[in-house]
Amino acid sequence: MSRRSLHTPAPDAATLRSRLDRAGTAAADAGTDALLIAPGSDLRYLVGQAGGSFERLTTLVVPAGDAPPALVVPKLELPGYSDVPTDELGIDVITWVDGDDPYRLVADRLGAPGRVAVSDMMAALHVLGVRGAVPGAEQVLAGQVLRELRMRKDAAERAALGEAGAAIDRVHARMGEWLRPGRTEAEVGADITAAILEEGHTSAEFVIVGSGPNGASPHHDVSDRVIEPGDVVVVDIGGPIPEGYNSDSTRTYAVGEPRDPDVAATYAVLQRAQQAAVDAVRPGVSAESVDAAARDIIADAGFGDRFIHRTGHGIGLDVHEEPYIVAGNELPLEEGMAFSIEPGIYTAGHWGARIEDIVVVTADGAESLNTRPHELVVLDR
């Protein structure tokens, strides 16, 4: 099968310039003199290129306010950033070669800062290098600043997430081709991985095929267990499309009629809980109230101790990002936020089930980016 091409346009220079400007403003509002952005999803959000993190320092210096940013990058890595429109974005490019002190270059750019925010995932090697170059500066995490920008998806980001969601739905629609007795979880997982790539993803970030008792482990992965008639199977799959935005969707299947007699009634509770959480989403409600909408139904049915994780996580350039749909998170939801709704019920040693959609907060509710049926899908043996 030929590989499908997805066509969401990459952010243009005007969009990236706006993000950089807002990052500088957010840094100032947070009382931070500069953001130091390491390669990864934050860098991709701001300049359109994720780059790679190595022992040689690469960092984007975003000063608070409206001073121009600078990309400090090893000269040998510079070709990897050739697609970044640095001139249009007003980014000064500062290269260095082996033998130079890149941390001193960063310090010279910063001046005498009182506080700098470093990427949450910046390697300790570089965090400590910066600390040594600007010993008088307090170091904090940049994630608390950038989360306020990245949580609210713009139209292009929502379109990319929509394409990713539709692509992973097409994979779920083919599950009957692969999921049958006598095959191992690993064999089914290999077919799913190939299909994810065929549907235009750049990689299969995760493929969970949890059959029978393995379905009671939410982050199981795959194994050599042979799928048996009557197994309930949790299939949780996703990954990035070329623009970097991720899919993530879970459906639960039965290989023939379920072996365990409690499956139908228990699954019905889960289905009600998942729908209740989706229905609870709208601007102004708290993240924790959406979690409670699902959790209360499951608890009232007597399965509270079998729902062992949060109801959802934000998604975008990272599979897991803010906002988290979890008890204790009082964050009010806003239009443009995107996250999963994925309650589960797990009976250790027997079976498990989970239903997961990605939703985007709209002006008056939620739009689901996954449209496959929520019912327990019984596949012919």
Side-chain angles (χ1 to χ4, degrees):
M1 183 181 293
S2 61
R3 181 168 177 154
R4 185 185 296 266
S5 177
L6 302 179
H7 300 292
T8 301
D12 59 21
T15 297
L16 296 175
R17 179 69 258 182
S18 174
R19 292 176 182 177
L20 283 167
D21 289 344
R22 287 187 290 126
T25 299
D29 291 343
T32 300
D33 294 293
L35 309 176
L36 300 183
I37 308 301
S41 58
D42 284 340
L43 187 64
R44 185 165 192 168
Y45 178 78
L46 292 173
V47 304
Q49 171 61 267
S53 181
F54 309 99
E55 77 274 15
R56 296 180 177 91
L57 176 71
T58 295
T59 189
L60 178 71
V61 182
V62 182
D66 56 5
L71 180 66
V72 178
V73 59
K75 194 168 186 176
L76 62 85
E77 302 292 347
L78 186 59
Y81 295 86
S82 60
D83 291 338
V84 177
T86 51
D87 289 342
E88 293 178 74
L89 298 179
I91 296 175
D92 296 332
V93 178
I94 302 172
T95 61
W96 63 279
V97 298
D98 291 346
D100 292 341
D101 182 352
Y103 306 108
R104 176 48 51 193
L105 295 175
V106 172
D108 290 344
R109 189 74 184 192
L110 292 174
R115 175 187 289 179
V116 295
V118 299
S119 287
D120 291 12
M121 299 302 175
M122 180 179 278
L125 170 71
H126 301 316
V127 172
L128 296 178
V130 170
R131 181 175 299 172
V134 284
E138 178 189 3
Q139 287 182 319
V140 297
L141 293 176
Q144 294 303 307
V145 177
L146 292 176
R147 68 191 285 269
E148 298 299 326
L149 280 63
R150 289 183 52 182
M151 276 196 300
R152 302 167 188 82
K153 271 56 179 182
D154 61 28
E157 291 179 290
R158 293 195 294 271
L161 286 169
E163 286 204 7
I168 211 66
D169 277 358
R170 291 191 292 268
V171 178
H172 271 295
R174 298 178 58 193
M175 208 56 59
E177 298 176 29
W178 313 308
L179 193 54
R180 56 182 180 271
R183 305 196 75 205
T184 67
E185 294 172 352
E187 289 170 337
V188 175
D191 288 332
I192 293 171
T193 296
I196 289 173
L197 297 178
E198 289 167 3
E199 288 294 348
H201 289 73
T202 57
S203 67
E205 186 72 14
F206 51 92
V207 174
I208 294 173
V209 181
S211 64
N214 290 339
S217 175
H219 283 173
H220 164 66
D221 199 6
V222 299
S223 75
D224 291 331
R225 183 182 185 275
V226 176
I227 295 166
E228 301 175 357
D231 275 352
V232 175
V233 185
V234 177
V235 178
D236 184 350
I237 54 178
I241 62 172
E243 292 73 28
Y245 289 85
N246 285 275
S247 63
D248 185 2
S249 181
T250 308
R251 291 294 184 267
T252 302
Y253 302 87
V255 183
E257 286 303 315
R259 181 171 51 250
D260 295 275
D262 60 334
V263 169
T266 305
Y267 192 86
V269 172
L270 177 63
Q271 193 173 343
R272 289 200 308 273
Q274 202 268 349
Q275 188 61 55
V278 173
D279 292 343
V281 175
R282 62 185 181 277
V285 305
S286 66
E288 68 177 358
S289 70
V290 177
D291 177 87
R295 196 168 301 278
D296 289 351
I297 289 175
I298 292 173
D300 288 348
F303 302 122
D305 61 341
R306 302 188 199 179
F307 181 12
I308 57 176
H309 54 74
R310 63 195 172 210
T311 293
H313 57 82
I315 192 168
L317 291 171
D318 290 313
V319 177
H320 288 185
E321 59 182 51
E322 301 278 0
Y324 291 100
I325 310 304
V326 63
N329 187 1
E330 299 178 354
L331 177 77
L333 300 182
E334 297 182 29
E335 187 174 357
M337 291 181 175
F339 46 85
S340 67
I341 299 290
E342 50 174 314
I345 298 176
Y346 310 96
T347 303
H350 294 278
W351 66 283
R354 183 165 64 256
I355 305 169
E356 177 184 18
D357 292 327
I358 301 302
V359 301
V360 178
V361 183
T362 63
D364 57 2
E367 175 191 3
S368 178
L369 303 185
N370 300 107
T371 59
R372 294 295 301 162
H374 293 148
E375 291 77 19
L376 179 69
V377 177
V378 179
L379 301 173
D380 293 335
R381 288 184 292 172

